[in-house]
Every structure is written in C-alpha cells, then in structure tokens.
Amino acid sequence: MTMLDFASLERALNRLPVRFRGPGGVAGVVKDGKVVARRAWGFADMYRRLPMTAKTRLPICSISKQFTCALLLDQFGDPAVLDGTVGDFLPLYRDRLPTVAQLCHNQSGLRDYWALTVLHGAYPEAEFRREDALPLIASAKTGQFPAGAHYSYSNGNFRILGEMIERGTGRDFAGLLAERLFAPAGMSTAVLAPDARVPLDGVVGYEGNDDVGFLPADNGVYWFGDAGISASLDDMLAWECHIDATRDDPESLYNRLSAPAFYADGTPATYAYGLRRDVHNGLEFTGHGGGLRGFSSYRMHVAGERLSVVVIFNHDTSTFTAAAALVDAALGRESRSEAVRPEAWDGLWLDEAQGLVVRTVADATGVKLHYGPSSARATLSSDGSARGQGLTLRKEENALVMQRESEHLTVRARRLQPVDWADPAPVAGRYRSEELGAWLEIEARDGAAFAVFEGLYGKGPMERMYALADDVWIVTSRRAIDAAAPGDWTVLVERDTAGTITGLSIGCWLARRIIYRPAP
C-alpha cells in the first residue's frame, strides 16, 4: 500500500473552498482505519452566520442507498426471499417483474419516479408527501428494458426496498437504521430525516454560483430508502472506519455489499447494492454520490489502499471531482490526461433505440457529452476515440457509437442536421400517455413553443421547447422536485405515411420512450 503524502493532501484540502466555490462544505480522509484529515469551512447558513462544522448534519441523499441495501441484507439475508412481494408494488406491470436483487443493482428497467414527477405536473418546490410516491410507482405498466439486461439509475427501486423492509420486519425503517447500522458503526448522530422541508442543525442548501449568486434552495421532498439520511462528517468518517475494521470478515455488511454482481447474461455489473464499482486513475474503488437541490455529496473507498474520502457541500458542485482530487493528493498521484486536441467532434445525434438526442461539443480539454441528467466529459485518445468515466465514444460515418460500459449498453446514434427554427404550430395540441395516464399540452405562441405536463400532481409550470432537427425537439427542464433535473426531454414526432402526426415519443435518460397520442 502507498504511504500517505500529507503535504500534497494538505494542499488539496486548502484548495477545496476556492476550487469548489460555495457557501460551505466538509471533507475528511480515513487511512488504515484512522481519520487522518477532516475539514469544515464556510457556513451552514450564511444569513444567520451559522458556521459549518464536522458535527453539522447534512443530507447525504443517495449515499443512503447503500444503507438501505445493507439493512436488507442484515434483516433478510438473501434478497430472493422477498421476490414474491415485488408485484405488490407494481400491480399494473405487463413486463417480467424484476427481482429484489435487480432492484438493488439498478437493473430493474423501471423508469425513475422522480423524473416522472415532471411529466405528472409537479412543481419543483411542491410538497411531495410520503403517500405520494407509491401510487406513481404502482402506475408503471412497462419498463425501459427487460429486467437484468442493462443498468439505469432508478430511485424508485430503493423506495420499494425501503417499503419492503418495513413491511417485512414490522419495524420502523428509521429505528432499524439506528439500531442495526448507525450504532454498530459509531455514527452517533446520523438519523433518517426523510422530510427535506426540515433540514437538521439549521443547515441551508444553496442554489447558484459565483456568477449569479447563491440563494436558499426550496425543497419539499419526503423520501426514504432512496435517500433521506442526514449525517455529519464525523458520522460518515465513522462509517469509513467501520468498513476498514470489518475488512477481513467476509460476512461483514460492506463486503457483502461490494461483492461481485452480474447482469442476466452473466456479464459483470459495475453497480450493485447501492454502490458503484469503478476505476479512477488506475485505482479500483467503490463509492456513491448524492444530491438534493442545494446539496451534493460523495464518498469513495479504495479498498486496496485502505483509503476513504468523504466530501459534502451545501451547494451543488461536483463532489466526485473533489473526492477524486483528495484521493490523488493523498496517494501522491497526478491525474492522467491525454493531450490530443479534438477536431470535428461537435455534433447532434439521435439514439433511436432509446429515443434520446445526443449532443457532443468539443473544447480545448476534450469532448463534452450531453445525454444523461448531467453532462459528461471524455478525453481524446491517440486511436481517435474519446474516453470518459464508464464510457467510450467513437465516430463512424454519419454515426456516433457510444459504449456505455457502466450501463452494459452500446448506443449507435445517427447524425442529425440541425435546424435554427421550426414552426411549432403543427405539433401544438393536447396529447395523452396511456403508459402514465398523464397529459401533455404544447402551445405555439408567435413562433415560440411551450409545453405543460399534467398528471397525478396537477398541471405543472410552462416549460420551454425548442426544435433541434426535423421532427426532433427538446423540452428543457433544469429544475425538478428532487435534485438536478433530468435534463432535456427529447420529443420525437411520429408521422404516418401521409405525414400526419400520430403521436410523440418523449423521454430523458432516466425515463425513456414514453408514447403520447393526440387526445380527442
């Protein structure tokens, strides 16, 4: 194992507040089972001048997923014993039901329920109660792909798991977490705090940046299973120390969480039990991030070096980049980068199989890919391909081929010819989705297009809609009810042989190919 480079780590910690600018944050490092660094800077509440500390409890958001899966394994052992209960949560589902393990591994094929709240008319700041979640999840009739075939991030998988644990044990989820996980790990102040309207310890999450300023974020989410835990930096470092202390026990919960997992065809999976298995700068690690409007978090565990890093901000900035930088600094490693400058990589493409637009934009440092909820970066290699975290891009004649290793998915997207403008009048009107039991209304106003979604949560705000290519539009959605919005919604116009519009296919990476038909 590598000796710790304390001088480099100190410099990297000193740079965090400047490199990742915002109201406040915390970061810590565990090496060989001991806390070797912890920092807290800035303010938990800038208006009340409340300092951020290592004891300030912050929402860890989707990092909670590994705790949900750990509790499942602790209480039931083999997830398969609950397979018979999956149908209770998906009574209308026409495809093959996923197993409980496939829920844990994000291989269910279920569309993400937080993304679907947009299509069901939810306002970003609306109150989302506990009882609002299960009816949305239960309305699913089909999946994005057959269970076990691919990976797709779906928060609903873990909400179902949380509900299963409560029903199967007859115990309160919060109490089980405290008794079975937090107490043994020494996480003395960590709690389930599922109501995001009531953040603990006076902490405030902030939206914005230095260009536009920072404003308090307004959250109304109630969630558990997929998120909901609040913990201090000291709590999270205790979890990392506990992982190290139990590293040699094959039956320890973290060893069981990080055991190899597979897709239905036997291919190894890179995500399982609420943990991503990945490689950074040649180092294998397990980890996970989390986000809620105004908060961002990431934890990374490099088992081979007995090294863990935790970073949490009360603003939305890349905590993965921050955590990776601390790992590199601690081990005295420099991030590797290619020096090949991209040429002719700007493009607009259509992934017809998923029904999604792909955009690539070249700059001095590589290729920026717009496809998922947030943009991804890829660096050019000498063989002409571009590689990023879990993906490889390759250009062919009039096509972009994406190998998305982390999703067990190969995408072949055809090049589109962009348009500056298209008349929205032909697509204006009211549409209905049988899959969702929801509606979409497109309005044309003097050459501009807007869309409004309506469903379980009422009629949502007007969203901007722009033409990208012939019969290819996007609805931009930058703010959603849980965290970062699902990104652009691709709208594909479907026509019959006579050119009459017969429907629309709408989707984003988290919720693909939802068909809408003209409503009478």
Side-chain angles (χ1 to χ4, degrees):
M1 288 183 288
T2 309
M3 294 291 292
L4 212 62
D5 187 334
F6 283 100
S8 177
L9 178 58
E10 181 77 7
R11 287 193 298 271
L13 287 165
N14 288 340
R15 291 187 61 204
L16 286 178
V18 175
R19 186 176 175 188
F20 303 94
R21 299 182 177 186
V26 295
V29 180
V30 170
K31 181 74 168 78
D32 300 336
K34 296 180 180 180
V35 178
V36 295
R38 60 200 277 275
R39 288 289 181 89
W41 64 93
F43 291 87
D45 184 335
M46 293 195 296
Y47 286 17
R48 293 188 295 132
R49 299 181 295 281
L50 181 67
M52 183 73 77
T53 76
K55 297 187 180 303
T56 303
R57 288 175 295 182
L58 295 149
I60 64 170
C61 306
S62 287
I63 293 177
S64 303
K65 290 177 170 65
Q66 64 200 260
F67 292 94
T68 297
C69 292
L71 195 56
L72 179 81
L73 296 178
D74 175 71
Q75 293 294 296
F76 300 99
D78 184 357
V81 302
L82 295 174
D83 283 350
T85 67
V86 175
D88 297 343
F89 299 91
L90 300 167
L92 306 179
Y93 209 62
R94 299 193 290 258
D95 293 340
R96 178 170 57 84
L97 288 168
T99 66
V100 173
Q102 287 164 344
L103 295 174
C104 294
H105 304 343
N106 268 333
Q107 296 178 23
S108 69
L110 296 175
R111 296 177 178 91
D112 180 67
Y113 80 119
W114 291 117
L116 293 178
T117 60
V118 176
L119 302 187
H120 274 287
Y123 273 79
E125 297 81 13
E127 179 185 2
F128 190 91
R129 304 163 301 171
R130 173 170 183 166
E131 58 266 30
D132 291 328
L134 291 186
L136 174 56
I137 292 170
S139 70
K141 301 176 181 66
T142 64
Q144 305 189 108
F145 52 77
H150 304 291
Y151 161 93
S152 182
Y153 199 84
S154 177
N155 286 284
N157 294 336
F158 299 89
R159 178 56 184 268
I160 291 173
L161 294 176
E163 298 280 357
M164 279 182 175
I165 291 169
E166 282 205 339
R167 295 183 187 186
T169 62
R171 296 277 308 278
D172 175 65
F173 190 79
L176 281 171
L177 283 174
E179 175 189 323
R180 302 299 301 169
L181 301 183
F182 299 157
M187 302 171 69
S188 59
T189 66
V191 294
L192 181 69
D195 191 345
R197 296 173 303 169
V198 190
L200 303 183
D201 299 339
V203 71
V204 175
Y206 290 88
E207 293 183 282
N209 52 51
D210 270 354
D211 291 333
V212 300
F214 289 91
L215 296 173
D218 188 0
N219 293 299
V221 171
Y222 185 104
W223 49 4
F224 78 99
D226 50 342
I229 293 174
S230 283
S232 69
L233 175 64
D234 284 348
D235 290 324
M236 294 306 297
L237 295 179
W239 174 242
E240 303 302 331
C241 290
H242 180 68
I243 290 169
D244 186 83
T246 59
R247 68 190 182 281
D248 294 327
D249 177 5
E251 295 303 312
S252 72
L253 283 175
Y254 200 81
N255 280 334
R256 293 164 68 191
L257 291 176
S258 53
F262 303 89
Y263 292 101
D265 65 1
T267 303
T270 57
Y271 187 103
Y273 293 121
L275 286 174
R276 181 173 298 285
R277 296 107 166 94
D278 215 330
V279 178
H280 167 71
N281 207 357
L283 297 167
E284 294 184 359
F285 73 89
T286 52
H288 210 286
L292 172 67
R293 189 182 301 119
F295 296 96
S296 181
S297 57
Y298 205 92
R299 63 158 296 268
M300 181 182 291
H301 175 60
V302 185
E305 297 287 349
R306 293 180 62 191
L307 176 70
S308 292
V309 168
V310 176
V311 179
I312 312 175
F313 299 148
N314 64 335
H315 53 99
D316 186 15
T317 309
S318 178
T319 40
F320 169 79
T321 303
L326 292 181
V327 166
D328 289 338
L331 299 178
R333 303 161 68 97
E334 293 184 2
S335 295
R336 300 169 185 171
S337 61
E338 302 279 355
V340 180
R341 187 179 182 85
E343 293 182 7
W345 269 89
D346 289 353
L348 181 67
W349 323 79
L350 179 62
D351 170 9
E352 293 180 285
Q354 314 301 321
L356 299 177
V357 162
V358 186
R359 288 181 291 154
T360 51
V361 180
D363 58 28
T365 60
V367 179
K368 193 173 186 179
L369 173 71
H370 298 271
Y371 181 71
S374 58
S375 61
R377 297 208 62 88
T379 304
L380 257 66
S381 301
S382 56
D383 63 1
S385 64
R387 291 183 171 84
Q389 200 77 22
L391 66 92
T392 302
L393 305 176
R394 188 177 71 256
K395 285 190 301 179
E396 295 182 357
E397 186 176 0
N398 292 320
L400 177 73
V401 178
M402 269 194 297
Q403 186 68 42
R404 299 181 70 84
E405 296 94 346
S406 60
E407 298 164 36
H408 195 36
L409 180 67
T410 299
V411 170
R412 185 178 179 86
R414 65 176 174 87
R415 186 182 287 276
L416 293 173
Q417 184 61 44
V419 298
D420 292 331
W421 177 84
D423 185 2
V427 298
R430 188 168 172 83
Y431 300 82
R432 184 179 187 277
S433 167
E434 189 272 337
E435 170 70 32
L436 301 182
W439 288 263
L440 162 66
E441 189 166 345
I442 297 175
E443 186 172 342
R445 296 184 61 81
D446 292 335
F450 295 86
V452 61
F453 297 104
E454 181 180 356
L456 286 172
Y457 311 119
K459 185 175 285 190
M462 298 301 298
E463 303 281 9
R464 302 167 309 285
M465 182 171 168
Y466 304 102
L468 294 182
D470 288 340
D471 284 343
V472 179
W473 298 71
I474 58 167
V475 173
T476 59
S477 179
R478 290 290 176 263
R479 305 178 76 250
I481 203 168
D482 65 325
D488 295 336
W489 292 89
T490 297
V491 181
L492 304 180
V493 179
E494 299 180 354
R495 299 177 184 269
D496 61 18
T497 55
T500 303
I501 294 176
T502 59
L504 308 172
S505 169
I506 298 181
C508 67
W509 183 77
L510 294 168
R512 305 167 204 164
R513 276 209 169 280
I514 300 165
I515 303 302
Y516 285 75
R517 300 296 180 196

